[in-house]
Amino acid sequence: MFDDNNPWNLGKKPVGNKTPNNEDILSKAVSDIRFFLNGLTRNRGKKPYFIIFIILLFYACTGFYIVHPSEESIELTFGKYSNTETPGLRYHFPYPIGKVFKVNVKEVNREEIGVSSSYGRDTDRGEGVMLTGDENIVNVNFEVQWCVRDAKDYLFKVRDYKPGFSVKNAAESAMREIIGKNTISFALGQGRPEISRDTRILLQQILDGYQMGIEILSVQMKKIDPPEKVISSFRDVQSARADKERTINEAYAYNNDIIPRAKGEAIKIKLDAQAYENEIINEAKGNANRFLSLYEEYRQNPSLVKNRIYLETMENIFSKVDKIVVTDDLKGMFSYLPLTNLGK
């Protein structure tokens, strides 16, 4: 059933329908082991090359690596920079020929200045205590947010590299310079956005000079106060300034309300005066024209005009007074006629 030249029984089928028993199975196993040992004996000269090939293949496969979406990889060949790779499946010579460093370039790092920190510095030792341009002392607390812009510079351009420590020191230096150029009133008041912007620009210039491969995303002012011993007095000053600004704004609001109304009243009075002037002039001209017309008629017919003027004058007079007619036409009796009541 078994062939010594083909101990694996390849390409052959069992003869008949006989099922192998335990002895047949054991015999086949012994034959398989004998064939394997004979194969090792016949190929003992080629075995080391085969093993070396397997080892080299496994070693070469260790050069594959994955760069995650938030990372960049820096490849070194014999200790010298060779390439920067983007996210994906990448390959590089395995160690010790090559070496790969992965850097997270998407992570936003934060450094806070003016409070206790992991670097062993705090406000009691002078961190955040700064001098303004008018020689006043302020306590400044701010936060710097940064990320990696150039992974190669980030890894290799600074000796004994501690990114957080370096950024923190540079940020404190930049803030001291900007604070020293401004007055305390400006720093405590409306100058915070401008100070943050100028500090970010100066800090980026400093880090670019160091070639650290870091980008400053933002500088956020959290708190800026005078020293604790005088903070109450400074708050009173700030409150007084706020009251001053409020009073000035109220005055401007009143000014903007009363002046337009006064100008409107002045224009109205002027227009009313002009209208009254036109009315008087027109009335005078009308009376003059009427008098001239009447004078012409008087020249032509004096008696008629005189009677007419007399009647109009009497009509004008009697229309404004109470009228009672009393006569003695009846013998010994008076006649009484109340024209006023009759008119009503």
Side-chain angles (χ1 to χ4, degrees):
M1 184 174 180
F2 297 96
D3 187 356
D4 290 340
N5 294 326
N6 189 8
W8 301 99
N9 202 22
L10 299 176
K12 294 186 178 182
K13 297 181 180 180
V15 179
N17 295 324
K18 183 178 179 180
T19 302
N21 53 27
N22 293 335
E23 294 180 357
D24 295 334
I25 295 174
L26 181 60
S27 176
K28 181 179 182 302
V30 172
S31 179
D32 291 343
I33 293 172
R34 187 187 305 116
F35 176 79
F36 178 71
L37 294 176
N38 290 336
L40 293 177
T41 303
R42 289 194 299 269
N43 297 302
R44 63 180 179 274
K46 299 180 180 179
K47 179 179 178 183
Y49 299 102
F50 177 75
I51 295 175
I52 292 174
F53 173 76
I54 294 298
I55 294 175
L56 290 177
L57 180 62
F58 176 77
Y59 170 73
C61 290
T62 60
F64 288 99
Y65 66 96
I66 295 176
V67 182
H68 295 288
S70 62
E71 298 176 335
E72 287 184 359
S73 66
I74 304 299
E75 297 178 352
L76 304 181
T77 304
F78 296 110
K80 184 178 180 180
Y81 169 78
S82 60
N83 192 24
T84 300
E85 290 290 352
T86 55
L89 179 63
R90 302 292 181 232
Y91 181 81
H92 189 57
F93 294 110
Y95 182 83
I97 298 176
K99 194 172 183 180
V100 175
F101 294 94
K102 297 179 182 179
V103 179
N104 191 331
V105 296
K106 301 295 184 182
E107 181 182 4
V108 177
N109 302 278
R110 293 174 172 83
E111 304 296 335
E112 189 167 357
I113 294 91
V115 295
S116 298
S117 66
S118 59
Y119 303 109
R121 304 179 64 192
D122 52 36
T123 53
D124 293 337
R125 300 182 181 181
E127 179 181 306
V129 180
M130 303 179 185
L131 190 66
T132 63
D134 52 356
E135 299 182 353
N136 285 288
I137 298 175
V138 290
N139 293 330
V140 181
N141 175 215
F142 64 101
E143 181 183 79
V144 178
Q145 297 183 1
W146 59 275
C147 67
V148 178
R149 180 174 61 188
D150 189 319
K152 176 186 173 183
D153 291 345
Y154 178 78
L155 289 175
F156 304 125
K157 287 296 181 71
V158 180
R159 181 182 296 179
D160 297 332
Y161 194 71
K162 295 180 181 179
F165 185 74
S166 300
V167 172
K168 190 180 182 71
N169 285 337
E172 184 179 356
S173 176
M175 180 61 75
R176 288 187 185 278
E177 180 173 343
I178 299 302
I179 289 291
K181 294 179 179 179
N182 296 282
T183 63
I184 188 172
S185 59
F186 181 78
L188 296 177
Q190 72 275 14
R192 295 191 181 191
E194 183 175 339
I195 291 175
S196 298
R197 183 186 69 248
D198 294 344
T199 301
R200 184 185 66 81
I201 294 173
L202 179 59
L203 177 58
Q204 187 66 65
Q205 293 174 353
I206 294 174
L207 298 182
D208 290 345
Y210 293 161
Q211 295 184 351
M212 293 178 63
I214 287 177
E215 180 180 2
I216 301 301
L217 301 177
S218 67
V219 175
Q220 299 179 355
M221 301 290 296
K222 288 191 172 181
K223 183 177 68 172
I224 177 168
D225 290 322
E228 295 182 359
K229 295 182 180 180
V230 296
I231 190 170
S232 59
S233 299
F234 269 91
R235 286 177 177 172
D236 292 339
V237 172
Q238 292 298 106
S239 177
R241 286 175 178 168
D243 292 340
K244 172 186 174 182
E245 293 296 328
R246 178 176 55 80
T247 304
I248 291 175
N249 293 333
E250 291 177 353
Y252 277 125
Y254 179 75
N255 176 75
N256 294 333
D257 175 65
I258 198 66
I259 289 181
R261 285 199 296 168
K263 288 181 178 179
E265 290 293 333
I267 293 174
K268 179 178 180 297
I269 293 172
K270 184 177 179 180
L271 294 177
D272 291 343
Q274 290 177 350
Y276 179 72
E277 176 187 10
N278 294 333
E279 179 184 0
I280 295 299
I281 291 174
N282 293 331
E283 183 179 356
K285 289 180 179 180
N287 293 334
N289 293 331
R290 177 174 176 274
F291 177 79
L292 294 175
S293 300
L294 187 60
Y295 176 69
E296 289 297 328
E297 293 182 5
Y298 178 77
R299 289 176 58 188
Q300 296 176 6
N301 195 349
S303 60
L304 181 61
V305 173
K306 186 183 298 184
N307 292 333
R308 178 184 171 186
I309 293 174
Y310 173 78
L311 293 176
E312 289 179 355
T313 302
M314 297 305 295
E315 180 181 4
N316 185 33
I317 293 173
F318 283 116
S319 64
K320 299 177 182 179
V321 298
D322 295 336
K323 296 172 285 298
I324 298 175
V325 178
V326 178
T327 64
D328 56 352
D329 295 341
L330 299 178
K331 297 178 180 181
M333 298 186 65
F334 290 96
S335 298
Y336 173 76
L337 181 60
L339 297 179
T340 302
N341 293 335
L342 291 177
K344 294 181 180 179

